[in-house]
Amino acid sequence: MAGFDDLASERSKAQFDVEEMKVIWAGSRHTLEVSDRISRLVANDPVFRKDTRTMLSRKDLFKNTLRKAAHAWKRIIELRLSEEEAAELRFYVDEPAFMDLHWGMFIPTIKGQGTEEQQQKWLPLAYKMKIIGCYAQTELGHGSNVQGLETTATFDPQTDEFIIHSPTLTSSKWWPGGLGKVSTHAVVYGRLIIDSKDYGVNGFIVQLRSLDDHLPLPGITIGDIGMKFGSGAYNTMDNGVLRFDHVRIPRDQMLMRVSQVTREGKLVQSNVPWQLVYGTMVYVRQKIVSDASCALSRAVCIATRYSAVRRQFGLQSNGIETQVIDYKTQQSRLFPLLASAYAFRFVGEWLKWLYMDVNQRLQASDFSTLPEAHACTAGLKSLTTSATADGIEECRKLCGGHGYLCSSGLPELFAVYIPACTYEGDNIVLLLQVARFLIKTVSQLGSGKEPVGTTVYMGRVEQLMQCHCAVQKGFLELSADLVQAAVAHCQLIVVSKFIEKLQQDIPGKGVKGQLEALCNIYALFILHKHLGDFLSTGCITPKQASLANAQLRSLYSQVRPNAIALVDAFNYTDHYLSSVLGRYDGNVYPKLYEEAWKDPLNDSVVPDGYQEYIQPILKQQLRNARL
Ligand SMILES: CC/C=C\C/C=C\C/C=C\C/C=C\C/C=C\C/C=C\C=C\C(=O)SCCNC(=O)CCNC(=O)[C@H](O)C(C)(C)COP(=O)(O)OP(=O)(O)OC[C@H]1O[C@@H](n2cnc3c(N)ncnc32)[C@H](O)[C@@H]1OP(=O)(O)O
Ligand SMILES: Cc1cc2nc3c(=O)[nH]c(=O)nc-3n(C[C@H](O)[C@H](O)[C@H](O)COP(=O)(O)OP(=O)(O)OC[C@H]3O[C@@H](n4cnc5c(N)ncnc54)[C@H](O)[C@@H]3O)c2cc1C
């Protein structure tokens, strides 16, 4: 079989130990073992099939999502899976659902912003799935501007309660995942009001639905906000709308790690920075960076395997056409994305360490690295999700017409992924946060602090910041330029962390050499993409730019024989890839043909509606012709 032989031949060319690269990609032998075992468990369970998703109505799609979530929970209990294994199972089920928000936001919020007592009360309920929670911050009128939220939480000293209320239409909670149809509880962000004084935004645990009949509680109006981009995609998630009509909750349901309200209605600030109210967003943003490497690597795996199977033009002496992966234009589009997937994987590993380090410091009342953690998670979430969304679309184009078929897996992957540029913080708004951090950092440079990083990339950031700061105009006036400097700063971090990864012990024949090539491809690709910055800031000369481009082309030739092995190292099952084009066996054409006939439109030879609407036209035309 053409495709199968092509991939087998490609795999025989590998110049490095693929099994060792799998360990590098997974992070450790342990995580490789867990992800391999769990991904195959999911792949072999018919309940978790994904191939019908785009053909179901919204209601059937959602019901099937609930079925999968219940089955996943049942398997977690039956198999006594650890938290790590359960998270892997939810990841490989690969369907946005309320469980993600319950485990990925509701629980981390209680852990990060609740007191010890509140954690002891609510976490056991959440871990045992006795309640299902969501994260209700965004409103119809405000998402980016958290301090602009309008929902109120007014303290009533008569009854020792907070009254939660939606004073305006724009104060309706809007977007929270899991809210629309499933969650029984929410962490609701609202304005703390005591004695008519507004103390800003805090988090409150609010029960939304009865645990008996699941009906909304009194004063609660709740539902789904409607269909979103694509047919399957994120429509498995019940993003919801929620309004409160003077709903009362006990005082002890305000999350009080940051601030406390006493029985007398006095607000007491604890010794932690108020920004911890934003802490869940930092947590999820660092996870989103790792998620970006998964999504991008998935698309690159599909496009790389297909590029090795697809032959077009270029008849060779043996009468066979050329593999499109051999075209330099295909390599110059595909290999930087392959390098980016590895780069984002490693910067995601570092960010996870940074987040854990910040949390450990918080335990010791050391808040010194919180601003850097915020800036890094915000900036890298923005950089990696934008690059990944663009990269998935590029991979679709790299697969030509077949990339546009749902059976390629790429349209669905794109549709599910692209909101990542918006949720957890609009990417531009987050880059502006990085710009603010950079301005502060540059202003402190006079105090003898020296920036660290790779010279050319560091010079680019410094020059971009100096130029902007030297102009001494207002932040808003310069914001479009400052965003440019923020991107440069984040790219510096990605390159630096890739270089640091290479300084670690990297076992396996040829593994380090391949990673060095990918690191250089990422660094030189970004340099080429932003050549204007590097030249205008004098960081490199035109001659150096030309040499860099030549080196980039040479690196593509170095990666070419290893490309299939480098994507095999992601260790994705065909079930997870969900792509006829990205199959491990390369058996593309027969499977494309087979998939086509599964479409419901082919259930009948003559389509419904033909006799009713089209045949009369033809008959009428025939009658006219005889007249
Ligand atoms: C579906 C699965 C879901 C979850 C699963 C989790 C993990 C799974 C794995 C991967 C994830 C993949 C996909 C899923 C993830 C998510 C999708 C599903 C759900 C999505 C949820 C949401 O979208 S939740 C809502 C997100 N909303 C935002 O991000 C709002 C963005 N806006 C803001 O953050 C703020 O408004 C602002 C920072 C823009 C402005 O803040 P503001 O206070 O108004 O003003 P500033 O002066 O700028 O800031 C004041 C000072 O505070 C500092 N600051 C700001 N933010 C932070 C922070 N987060 N941490 C620490 N410090 C912060 C700022 O620097 C200022 O400090 P100064 O010293 O300069 O004064
Ligand atoms: C799929 C999905 C799932 C979500 N899940 C949740 C959830 O579970 N819980 C939750 O609370 N929220 C959730 N959200 C909401 C999400 O967090 C917000 O949509 C996001 O924070 C962006 O805010 P916004 O929609 O108000 O956009 P806006 O901020 O209104 O952005 C609109 C435009 O204005 C620009 N803009 C805004 N402010 C500035 C500024 N200061 N300077 C320059 N430009 C600016 C933006 O860059 C953008 O181009 C979800 C959203 C999506 C799409």
Side-chain angles (χ1 to χ4, degrees), residues 413-435:
L413 176 56
F414 181 74
V416 170
Y417 190 79
I418 53 174
C421 297
T422 306
Y423 61 52
E424 222 49 69
D426 165 83
N427 280 357
I428 294 300
V429 168
L430 294 183
L431 286 175
L432 290 168
Q433 286 291 303
V434 178

Side-chain angles (χ1 to χ4, degrees), residues 91 95-97 99-105 108 135-138 143-148 175-177 234 237 239 274-292 370-371 373-375 377-378 417 419-420 422-426 429-430 433 436-437 440:
F91 174 79
E95 191 153 301
M99 294 281 250
D100 298 322
L101 279 304
H102 176 73
W103 295 99
M105 297 200 80
Y135 184 89
Q137 177 179 295
T138 302
S144 290
N145 180 8
V146 176
Q147 290 308 324
W175 274 112
Y234 224 90
M237 178 75 80
N239 297 93
W274 68 263
Q275 287 94 337
L276 269 190
V277 168
Y278 291 159
T280 303
M281 293 185 275
V282 177
Y283 163 73
V284 178
R285 287 169 190 159
Q286 60 91 20
K287 287 188 75 81
I288 287 174
V289 173
S290 296
D291 192 66
L370 190 57
H374 164 49
T377 48
Y417 190 79
T422 306
Y423 61 52
E424 222 49 69
D426 165 83
V429 168
L430 294 183
Q433 286 291 303
R436 282 176 55 127
F437 174 78
K440 270 191 192 171

Side-chain angles (χ1 to χ4, degrees), residues 1 16 51 75-76 90 94 209 236 254-255 274 276 298 387 394 444 469 480 483 504 511 535 582 603:
M1 275 184 302
F16 68 95
D51 55 347
R75 296 299 281 152
I76 289 167
R90 285 192 295 271
D94 184 33
R209 293 180 166 97
T236 55
M254 170 178 152
L255 293 174
W274 68 263
L276 269 190
R298 213 168 132 179
E394 188 63 20
Q444 290 163 1
C469 295
V483 158
Q504 294 174 13
V511 172
L535 290 171
D603 290 351

Side-chain angles (χ1 to χ4, degrees), residues 365-577:
S365 301
D366 170 2
F367 314 120
S368 59
T369 57
L370 190 57
E372 183 195 3
H374 164 49
C376 287
T377 48
L380 290 168
K381 180 271 180 187
S382 177
L383 181 78
T384 57
T385 55
S386 291
T388 296
D390 294 345
I392 295 169
E393 168 59 1
E394 188 63 20
C395 286
R396 180 192 67 78
K397 290 187 280 189
L398 281 159
C399 295
H402 303 339
Y404 192 63
L405 280 168
C406 283
S407 61
S408 76
L410 290 165
E412 182 74 356
L413 176 56
F414 181 74
V416 170
Y417 190 79
I418 53 174
C421 297
T422 306
Y423 61 52
E424 222 49 69
D426 165 83
N427 280 357
I428 294 300
V429 168
L430 294 183
L431 286 175
L432 290 168
Q433 286 291 303
V434 178
R436 282 176 55 127
F437 174 78
L438 288 176
I439 288 173
K440 270 191 192 171
T441 304
V442 167
S443 64
Q444 290 163 1
L445 280 184
S447 57
K449 287 191 176 186
E450 282 307 309
V452 291
T454 55
T455 317
V456 169
Y457 270 71
M458 188 64 235
R460 171 191 174 208
V461 177
E462 263 191 325
Q463 287 305 314
L464 286 172
M465 284 309 296
Q466 295 294 0
C467 302
H468 301 327
C469 295
V471 175
Q472 293 308 322
K473 282 190 180 171
F475 182 87
L476 287 178
E477 176 65 26
L478 280 175
S479 53
D481 303 297
L482 288 168
V483 158
Q484 189 187 357
V487 169
H489 175 71
C490 295
Q491 287 169 339
L492 163 63
I493 295 174
V494 176
V495 172
S496 303
K497 295 311 167 189
F498 208 150
I499 291 169
E500 282 177 24
K501 182 71 181 181
L502 294 172
Q503 287 155 357
Q504 294 174 13
D505 172 37
I506 296 181
K509 177 181 81 66
V511 172
K512 185 167 183 175
Q514 288 305 312
L515 292 176
E516 282 169 345
L518 292 174
C519 178
N520 291 331
I521 285 175
Y522 182 79
L524 292 173
F525 168 72
I526 294 297
L527 186 147
H528 184 69
K529 184 178 175 186
H530 298 275
L531 199 51
D533 284 357
F534 288 96
L535 290 171
S536 64
T537 53
C539 296
I540 61 168
T541 65
K543 173 67 178 164
Q544 286 170 323
S546 166
L547 289 171
N549 209 19
Q551 174 65 4
L552 194 51
R553 286 195 297 273
S554 157
L555 285 163
Y556 292 158
S557 304
Q558 208 179 301
V559 162
R560 167 64 189 88
N562 298 287
I564 292 301
L566 284 167
V567 300
D568 284 352
F570 301 146
N571 200 41
Y572 291 147
T573 62
D574 282 350
H575 170 271
Y576 179 61
L577 287 177

Side-chain angles (χ1 to χ4, degrees), residues 317-392:
S317 55
N318 58 7
I320 299 175
E321 290 181 83
T322 298
Q323 291 168 287
V324 296
I325 198 170
D326 282 332
Y327 291 121
K328 294 304 179 189
T329 48
Q330 192 85 353
Q331 292 177 12
S332 67
R333 294 158 64 195
L334 179 59
F335 292 167
L337 296 177
L338 173 60
S340 300
Y342 275 87
F344 295 170
R345 188 73 171 183
F346 301 142
V347 80
E349 280 180 359
W350 169 74
L351 207 51
K352 182 177 178 182
W353 168 84
L354 180 70
Y355 179 77
M356 290 166 67
D357 179 70
V358 162
N359 266 330
Q360 282 163 5
R361 291 169 182 264
L362 288 180
Q363 304 305 325
S365 301
D366 170 2
F367 314 120
S368 59
T369 57
L370 190 57
E372 183 195 3
H374 164 49
C376 287
T377 48
L380 290 168
K381 180 271 180 187
S382 177
L383 181 78
T384 57
T385 55
S386 291
T388 296
D390 294 345
I392 295 169

